[in-house]
Structure formats: structure tokens, C-alpha cells
Amino acid sequence: MIAENFGVNCAAATPVGADGAPRLDLFAAHCKALLNEGCHGVALLGTTGEANNFAVSERKALLEAALKAGVRGDQLLPGTSSCNVPETIELTRHAVDHGARACVLLPPFYYKGVSDEGLFHFYASVIEVVADDRLRVILYHIPQVTQVPISHELIARLRDAFPGIVAGIKDSAGDIANMTAMIERFPGFAVLAGADPLLLPLLQAGGAGCITATSNLRSDALRVIWDNWSDPEAADKVTAAQDRINGWRTLTNAYVQLPTVKAMLAKARGDADWRNLRAPLVKLTDEETNAVWAEMDRLNA
Amino acid sequence: MIAENFGVNCAAATPVGADGAPRLDLFAAHCKALLNEGCHGVALLGTTGEANNFAVSERKALLEAALKAGVRGDQLLPGTSSCNVPETIELTRHAVDHGARACVLLPPFYYKGVSDEGLFHFYASVIEVVADDRLRVILYHIPQVTQVPISHELIARLRDAFPGIVAGIKDSAGDIANMTAMIERFPGFAVLAGADPLLLPLLQAGGAGCITATSNLRSDALRVIWDNWSDPEAADKVTAAQDRINGWRTLTNAYVQLPTVKAMLAKARGDADWRNLRAPLVKLTDEETNAVWAEMDRLNA
């Protein structure tokens, strides 16, 4: 059994106006640009997309805005989790009904130290009530944020209960050993890197692609890796692309990552509203923004 | 400036049926019973109340069910936070419009390491948009769960910006030194203990009451402490009451606390549905439940 290839997917940032309202126009244009720049898909409303800073109705409106602008449903991998089952069902059903390729599902993240039994019930409740053969679930492992890891035992149990539906995992913990262990243990399970520097080693280990933040800015380099990684004659090109993406990734960590990515998008997309974030996140100062922009010029030189 | 007295408030548990739907009837009866048993108020939809396991619409329905059953708005201190500003505004406005005495506001808890600046903007956005002189905010400090502490600097800034509105804090971190430091630094600020064993020492230090889980079961003992703590001749009675509540509190930690509290409520209220929880929480096994019930009999003997 071969895991489905998901390719290069962008953990798309979500633009908001100075008043905090989603800029649907800017978001739709960003999604279309990402696909033109090399992304296979747009993983909207993840951690970089500030999903949990938005209300359920706003999250639906953002997905619909991308579709209205001409993005196809099978190019979208929205995050559709909330801490509670009913709103996760509502968002997941909405995404499936709009043709989303897959839904990226965080575990509920308020309570800590919860059991695999409880997490299984959370995911099972959502899958059973959505009750749609089109549903594909990508689990989302980002324990440094959620403090709620996705264990291999939980994955095994979910795959047994919902074969074909529980299709893969986004692993943002940054540990290639965990990713390769899942590839080895779970045939046909799509393991996606959440960290840009791990795309090449993950593909070499049998991974299915990536969902990353830096692809908001440099999906072209990630796409070079994806298209050429298995061609021995392209080794230099692939290494250069991974080096390039790593440089941009390093810049996104110059300050707090999300505000930095958005400051970079303000320059790349030419709209100052990209600098804004929803509370509790805070935008970079003008001075920080100018420093990041200068570094972008250097990387592009 | 004297802090408002909030007295003994119950972090009320929320009953659900076997299907996970809120049992509004059972919840309203529980609220009324708590007030009869000695609580000054019901702090519904906190951590013990599984607030984040419920959708916005369900949270509103639970508050309304208590009111319909005859509980007064000024007896309610609902948790009205969500990770995002618009839903927190919606829940907070709903509570104010229904006459709630105060709203208990968690910080947004998805992102970790957020700045006080970002948390200030979260709370300020909610208070400014609700824009209602009746609003009273009780901040909610429970860093062992949220991983997002409420700093004294943040409290100072919020009190300066919204005097009279930012009325107090529920401190569930269990550190009496933090509570006394806030009492000393912030005149008129109501500091409420989130842990039952700290009610007496907190009152002796100038605190304003408590919001606790064990009061679902033993608010009578907490009320004895509240009514008598400053009377030197009642010292033995007060100490006995604190010992009694501590014994019950210890039992709530026999297994995972929330499922244990709910198992205890199944016996105390005589309805087996009380044992149920929403995912990702899992109810006690029959064996565990029987062990807890036997210990309740022993404590009541």
C-alpha cells in the first residue's frame, strides 16, 4: 500500500484588516498565488493561519472565499478542529461539502494529560457524525503548541477503526525519527513534514510531502525539491533548493514566527494589512519589519 | 478600596446524556441545589464545567437553562472565553445581557509564549466591544492547564485601562503566595481561590472568596468557613470545616479529577448521566466509580 502523495502544501497565513476582520479578497488572492508559485495545495487555517483566533463563521467564510476565487476544493486542506466536538463536526462537514481534499485535525488542546482513549473518542465522534466517504483526515501533531501529542498507538487505533479515512499526519514536532517510525509502522499512511528543513530527508524516507509556513514565501524552492529529489542527476539543484528554503525559514524565526511571516508577506504581496494579526498575537514593530525586509532583499539578491 | 466579596462559588460540572448532549434539566436542578446548599454563586462553564468541550450555542443554552429554572443572573459567574475574540465577545455580551454578576475570562490558550501585550489586546478587544458598564471581568489564572499565565503586570495594565470592570481573578495555580501578592499590590481587586484547601488562608490574607470544584459536593463546609472564619470563638468549627472539605477534595483526585467529580455527583444527585463527560475526557469505569462511592459513604459516616 502506497501513501497518497500530497506534495507541497502551504500553511497559509490569514490576512486581517486593521480592525481584525478577515481580508477575504487578500486571502483568496494569496491562495491563488501560492498555487501559481508551486504549491500543490493550500492548508489554510492551521497554526500559521491563526485558525484558533477566528470564529467558526469566519473560518467557513475564508474557505468559501478561496473557492469563489477559483481555487478548487481538491486543492484545499483546511484545519477544521476546535476544542469541542460539535464545532469540529460543523467545520469538517462544511469542508467536505465544499470538496476539500482533506481536513487537518488538531487534537482538543485545553485539557492536558488526556488519554489516548479520550482522543480516540474525540476523533471517532467527528468522523462518525460527519459520516461521509469523501472525508480524509490528516492528524496534526504539534505537541510544542498543543501539549497534546498524537501517539502511534492512537494512530493505529484510528486507522483500524476508520481505514481510508484517517489518511495521514502533519508532524510539526521537527523530529525526523518520529516521522520515519510512522512511515515504517503504518503502510499507506501519508506523513507530512511541518518543518521546511525536513522536506528532503522526509521524502528520502518515504514521506508524502509537507505543510509548512515558509511556503507562504518560497514554495518555488520546495517545489524544486519535490519535483527532483529522486533524480540523481538533480542532486545539486535539490540541495541548493533545500539550502534556499532553509535560509528563508531561518529569517521567519528572526522574531516571533507568525508576525515575521506576515511582515514578509506584506512586502511579498504588496499590502501593508498583511502585517496585522489577531490577538493574542502582535505584529512586528516598524523597525523589526524594516530589518526583515532588508534581509529579504539580501536573500533575493 | 475594599474588594467586592464574591463568597463561595461552585465551579459547576455540566451534565451530559449518553449521547453527549447537555442535560439542561439536570444542570438547572444542580445550580438550584448548589445555591440551597450554601453557594453564593455558580461559576458555570469553567474548567470543571468543561466549557471548552461545548459549542458557543450550547454554552448559551446552559446559562439560559439556569435562569429559566429560577436562578438569578446575579448568582451566575459564567466562563465566557474562547480562544478567539469574536466568540468571546459573543459569549460575554450574552452573559451581561442576561444579568450575570461577572464573567470569568481565560486567556486565549492555543499559542504559547504570547506576550502580555498580546493578552492585553485580547482582553481589551473584548471589553471595548462589549462596551457595557455592567460587565465585570474575573481573570482566570490556571497556567498548569492553559500554559498561559496571567502576570501581575498584565493585571496592573488592565486595571488601569478598565477600572471597575476588571474586578478580580480566579487563581487556580494553588500558590497562596501569588494570591497574597496580588491582594497587597492591587487594592480593591477580588482574589478568588481556585483550590478548596486555600479558602481559609486566603480569607485570612484578605481574599474575596473561592470558585472550586469540590463545592459541587461539599459547599456546606465551604460556607461554614466563609460565615465563621473571622470569629475567634468559631475557630474549631472553621478548622473542622476546612478539614472536611480537604477530605472531599482529596477524594476528587483519586482518579482524573473531572471524571471523579462527576462520578461523585452521580451518587449525590441520583442520576447516572452525571458520570458522562464530553471527549477528550473519559468517564470512570464501574469499578472506579464503586470505589469512589464507597469512600463517599465513609466520609459521610
Side-chain angles (χ1 to χ4, degrees):
Chain A
M1 188 161 39
I2 304 293
E4 186 178 347
N5 275 333
F6 280 90
V8 173
N9 300 278
C10 180
T14 311
V16 296
D19 61 352
R23 283 282 311 269
L24 298 178
D25 57 332
L26 217 49
F27 180 70
H30 182 49
C31 291
K32 291 181 73 174
L34 290 169
L35 295 165
N36 284 333
E37 288 160 1
C39 287
H40 296 94
V42 179
L44 61 160
L45 292 167
T47 301
T48 304
E50 297 176 69
N52 294 298
N53 293 351
F54 292 96
V56 167
S57 57
E58 294 172 321
R59 291 166 71 166
K60 290 181 179 178
L62 283 158
L63 184 144
E64 291 173 23
L67 293 172
K68 275 181 202 139
V71 177
R72 300 193 317 270
D74 66 7
Q75 294 173 311
L76 295 177
L77 294 83
T80 58
S81 266
S82 140
C83 282
N84 67 75
V85 169
E87 289 178 347
T88 305
I89 290 169
E90 182 178 349
L91 285 166
T92 303
R93 181 176 279 149
H94 175 264
V96 172
D97 284 344
H98 284 80
R101 181 172 181 186
C103 293
V104 183
L105 291 188
L106 279 172
F109 52 86
Y110 183 64
Y111 296 104
K112 307 305 184 293
V114 295
S115 64
D116 277 356
E117 172 80 6
L119 295 176
F120 177 83
H121 281 297
F122 177 86
Y123 286 115
S125 298
V126 173
I127 294 168
E128 286 169 356
V129 176
V130 170
D132 195 313
D133 289 342
R134 297 170 298 175
L135 172 62
R136 295 292 175 274
V137 169
I138 296 176
L139 304 170
Y140 189 1
H141 178 61
I142 184 167
Q144 68 272 37
V145 180
T146 58
Q147 311 282 323
V148 179
I150 308 282
S151 75
H152 295 196
E153 292 312 307
L154 175 61
I155 296 167
R157 190 168 165 194
L158 285 168
R159 277 166 50 93
D160 283 349
F162 307 105
I165 302 253
V166 178
I169 192 164
K170 177 189 177 188
D171 185 340
S172 292
D175 175 11
I176 190 77
N178 188 55
M179 300 183 208
T180 52
M182 292 189 288
I183 291 167
E184 283 165 21
R185 177 164 172 183
F186 304 119
F189 194 55
V191 176
L192 303 172
D196 302 274
L198 296 179
L199 177 58
L200 180 54
L202 180 67
L203 292 175
Q204 290 165 337
C210 66
I211 299 176
T212 73
T214 311
S215 53
N216 280 284
L217 301 147
R218 278 275 68 92
S219 58
D220 51 355
L222 288 163
R223 184 60 183 264
V224 168
I225 299 170
W226 177 264
D227 288 339
N228 297 283
W229 72 271
S230 63
D231 175 5
E233 293 183 13
D236 289 351
K237 184 160 70 170
V238 168
T239 303
Q242 185 72 70
D243 287 348
R244 182 160 167 77
I245 195 77
N246 292 357
W248 283 77
R249 154 87 172 203
T250 298
L251 179 54
T252 68
N253 288 319
Y255 303 99
V256 179
Q257 192 186 37
L258 263 65
T260 308
V261 167
K262 286 190 127 177
M264 293 166 81
L265 277 165
K267 180 176 167 79
R269 300 296 187 217
D271 192 311
D273 266 359
W274 268 112
R275 288 180 59 195
N276 301 322
L277 298 101
R278 275 274 178 94
L281 302 175
V282 179
K283 71 176 177 182
L284 296 194
T285 64
D286 290 350
E287 191 178 6
E288 291 165 341
T289 301
N290 287 331
V292 169
W293 288 0
E295 185 65 12
M296 287 172 75
D297 286 338
R298 201 188 64 75
L299 287 171
N300 273 330
Chain B
M1 187 159 43
I2 304 293
E4 186 178 347
N5 275 332
F6 279 91
V8 173
N9 300 279
C10 180
T14 311
V16 296
D19 60 354
R23 282 281 311 268
L24 297 179
D25 57 333
L26 216 50
F27 179 71
H30 182 49
C31 291
K32 292 181 72 173
L34 290 169
L35 295 166
N36 285 332
E37 288 160 2
C39 287
H40 295 95
V42 179
L44 60 159
L45 292 167
T47 302
T48 305
E50 298 176 68
N52 294 299
N53 292 351
F54 291 96
V56 167
S57 58
E58 294 172 320
R59 292 167 71 166
K60 290 182 180 177
L62 284 158
L63 185 145
E64 291 173 23
L67 294 172
K68 275 182 201 140
V71 177
R72 300 194 316 271
D74 66 6
Q75 295 173 311
L76 296 178
L77 294 82
T80 58
S81 266
S82 140
C83 282
N84 67 76
V85 169
E87 289 178 347
T88 305
I89 290 169
E90 181 178 348
L91 285 166
T92 302
R93 181 175 279 150
H94 175 264
V96 173
D97 284 344
H98 285 79
R101 181 173 181 188
C103 294
V104 183
L105 292 189
L106 280 172
F109 52 85
Y110 182 64
Y111 296 104
K112 306 304 183 295
V114 295
S115 64
D116 277 357
E117 172 81 7
L119 294 176
F120 177 84
H121 281 298
F122 177 86
Y123 285 115
S125 299
V126 173
I127 294 168
E128 286 169 356
V129 176
V130 171
D132 195 312
D133 289 342
R134 297 170 298 174
L135 172 61
R136 294 292 173 274
V137 169
I138 297 177
L139 305 170
Y140 190 179
H141 177 63
I142 184 167
Q144 68 273 37
V145 180
T146 58
Q147 310 282 323
V148 179
I150 308 281
S151 75
H152 295 196
E153 292 312 305
L154 175 61
I155 295 167
R157 190 169 166 193
L158 285 168
R159 276 167 50 94
D160 284 348
F162 307 105
I165 303 254
V166 177
I169 191 164
K170 177 188 178 190
D171 185 341
S172 293
D175 175 11
I176 189 77
N178 188 54
M179 300 182 208
T180 53
M182 291 188 288
I183 291 167
E184 284 165 21
R185 176 165 174 182
F186 305 118
F189 193 57
V191 177
L192 303 172
D196 301 274
L198 296 180
L199 176 57
L200 180 54
L202 180 67
L203 292 176
Q204 291 166 335
C210 65
I211 298 176
T212 72
T214 312
S215 55
N216 281 286
L217 302 148
R218 276 276 68 91
S219 57
D220 52 355
L222 288 162
R223 184 59 183 264
V224 168
I225 299 171
W226 177 264
D227 287 339
N228 298 283
W229 73 270
S230 62
D231 175 5
E233 293 183 14
D236 288 353
K237 185 161 69 172
V238 167
T239 303
Q242 184 72 72
D243 286 350
R244 182 160 167 76
I245 195 77
N246 292 357
W248 283 77
R249 155 85 173 205
T250 298
L251 179 54
T252 68
N253 288 319
Y255 304 100
V256 180
Q257 192 187 35
L258 264 64
T260 307
V261 167
K262 287 190 126 178
M264 293 166 81
L265 278 166
K267 179 175 168 78
R269 301 295 187 216
D271 192 312
D273 267 357
W274 268 112
R275 288 180 59 195
N276 302 322
L277 297 102
R278 275 275 177 92
L281 302 174
V282 179
K283 72 177 176 181
L284 297 194
T285 64
D286 291 349
E287 191 179 8
E288 291 165 340
T289 300
N290 287 330
V292 168
W293 288 359
E295 185 64 13
M296 287 172 74
D297 287 337
R298 200 188 64 75
L299 287 171
N300 273 330

